[in-house]
Amino acid sequence: MILSLLVGLALGTEAEEEEPPVDDRISEHRLPFSVLVERTIGSTSKPVEYNWRDGQFQLAVTGGHLYELNNFNSMRLGGMLRVPSERLIYEVGVSYVWVWDTPSSELLAFTPYRQPGRPSRIDFDIAAVIPVAEGVITTMPRRLPALELVFNAYVGVRYGFYPFSTDGMRRREIASGLASPALTDKEIENLDDRRLDAMQVDPGRYNVMAGIGNDIYFSQGFFLSPRVMFAVPIFAPASGTELYVWADLSLDFGVAF
């Protein structure tokens, strides 16, 4: 019995000394955490790829197509200044809006009917950008870098200024007219020679705008901002506008400093 116990201890010692080789095949698939962030989708409460909150200001070129639910084409191009804070981004922009005929509006001009519309003008925008959600996104193909995506809500005011609409008006008339939510009769009369043939000049001057969109930041600070904005007819009773709800589909490209 003692002999068998000694033999068992000897065999156990040899088994302990002869440990099986370590299977290290998984090591070739290990990656640093920074690389994993590049290749996987994640969500964060704070930016990972680019912290837009740390910037002082952002400059962007903006362009868009307006859908005013009439037969006229309207496109705008301009610039924008954005100032970020911890919770919001404040925007100030100016753009020129080109308005031209379509085949439908040219045919409409041969009839006695007219459609509400707005001639070419300069639009001034003031808006607040409300970040709703943000996180890291990956791209296809994988060789492109990871991006910072911020989903935003927008609310602001757009003011339409019509060049030459104040011709022949006194300074007091100009000052009171520019502050009014509706174009004055004199302004509409001045614009009558500059409107499109099938257009009835809409008297609305101010528009409350609201919408949604994304800010897509590259690690270098460049960004793209596609968005869709809708006119909210809050000023309609005061301005007499007939363009109640219309849309502006736009794309901004800029850089953060």
Side-chain angles (χ1 to χ4, degrees):
M1 181 177 180
I2 296 176
L3 181 60
S4 62
L5 182 60
L6 293 173
V7 172
L9 290 174
L11 293 175
T13 303
E14 292 179 0
E16 291 178 359
E17 293 177 353
E18 296 179 2
E19 295 181 358
V22 178
D23 186 357
D24 198 35
R25 288 178 295 177
I26 197 173
S27 62
E28 59 181 303
H29 301 287
R30 293 193 179 100
L31 293 172
F33 179 74
S34 59
V35 177
L36 289 176
V37 171
E38 294 281 338
R39 296 188 179 181
T40 59
I41 297 176
S43 60
T44 58
S45 59
K46 293 290 184 179
V48 173
E49 282 303 309
Y50 183 79
N51 192 351
W52 52 269
R53 293 175 176 85
D54 289 342
Q56 295 182 342
F57 63 93
Q58 302 173 2
L59 295 177
V61 176
T62 178
H65 191 287
L66 279 63
Y67 299 87
E68 295 184 338
L69 304 183
N70 53 30
N71 288 323
F72 310 109
N73 277 326
S74 299
M75 294 191 70
R76 66 181 185 86
L77 180 66
M80 181 188 302
L81 170 66
R82 310 176 86 204
V83 181
S85 66
E86 181 64 24
R87 295 186 178 181
L88 298 174
I89 298 178
Y90 302 97
E91 293 182 341
V92 178
V94 59
S95 57
Y96 188 83
V97 183
W98 288 270
V99 183
W100 69 96
D101 273 313
T102 64
S104 297
S105 65
E106 290 175 348
L107 291 175
L108 184 63
F110 291 106
T111 74
Y113 301 102
R114 296 294 176 263
Q115 270 195 329
R118 297 184 292 170
S120 298
R121 61 195 178 277
I122 300 173
D123 278 350
F124 297 92
D125 288 276
I126 299 176
V129 184
I130 307 168
V132 177
E134 59 184 298
V136 178
I137 60 172
T138 56
T139 55
M140 181 64 69
R142 291 292 183 86
R143 60 177 172 269
L144 296 178
L147 307 171
E148 182 76 17
L149 175 67
V150 185
F151 176 70
N152 298 316
Y154 303 88
V155 60
V157 176
R158 178 170 294 179
Y159 177 90
F161 173 73
Y162 297 86
F164 311 108
S165 65
T166 58
D167 289 353
M169 297 175 61
R170 298 179 180 178
R171 292 182 180 180
R172 182 177 300 177
E173 293 175 328
I174 295 174
S176 61
L178 294 179
S180 171
L183 298 176
T184 63
D185 293 338
K186 181 63 175 178
E187 288 178 293
I188 294 177
E189 181 182 344
N190 288 336
L191 292 173
D192 192 62
D193 293 334
R194 299 179 180 275
R195 65 171 175 83
L196 299 178
D197 292 337
M199 179 181 292
Q200 172 187 319
V201 178
D202 188 82
R205 193 194 305 270
Y206 290 92
N207 287 281
V208 175
M209 307 296 294
I212 57 174
N214 294 316
D215 286 343
I216 305 172
Y217 292 96
F218 296 82
S219 59
Q220 298 85 356
F222 297 101
F223 66 90
L224 292 171
S225 296
R227 69 178 73 177
V228 57
M229 302 286 285
F230 298 94
V232 183
I234 293 178
F235 291 118
S239 66
T241 181
E242 296 185 51
L243 301 174
Y244 296 107
V245 179
W246 48 271
D248 178 8
L249 182 63
S250 62
L251 178 64
D252 310 328
F253 174 74
V255 60
F257 295 93

